[in-house]
Amino acid sequence: MTGIVIDKKKYVLIPEKDYKALQKKAALKTKAVKTFTIDEARAYSKKLIRKWAEK
């Protein structure tokens, strides 16, 4: 690991292998976003359109 300073900002350089491992570890900690089925998405979008149309 190497530290460098560019324009008064500190950066750390790590090997790509370590970076990929950190990225994978972080991805596993995030919660999955719920996705709609096609029918749910249509119903939700219609609901929003009607809501916006009232304004």
Side-chain angles (χ1 to χ4, degrees):
M1 185 165 64
T2 306
I4 59 174
V5 177
I6 301 174
D7 294 332
K8 298 180 183 178
K9 293 183 182 178
K10 294 182 182 179
Y11 297 92
V12 177
L13 299 175
I14 59 173
E16 185 176 0
K17 184 178 178 182
D18 295 342
Y19 174 73
K20 298 265 186 201
L22 285 172
Q23 214 174 21
K24 184 176 180 180
K25 188 176 180 182
L28 293 173
K29 289 184 178 181
T30 61
K31 294 183 180 179
V33 177
K34 182 188 180 297
T35 55
F36 291 123
T37 64
I38 293 178
D39 293 330
E40 290 173 333
R42 284 188 181 130
Y44 183 71
S45 63
K46 286 180 183 180
K47 179 182 169 184
L48 288 177
I49 290 169
R50 288 184 182 116
K51 179 181 173 182
W52 295 331
E54 290 175 1
K55 292 183 180 183

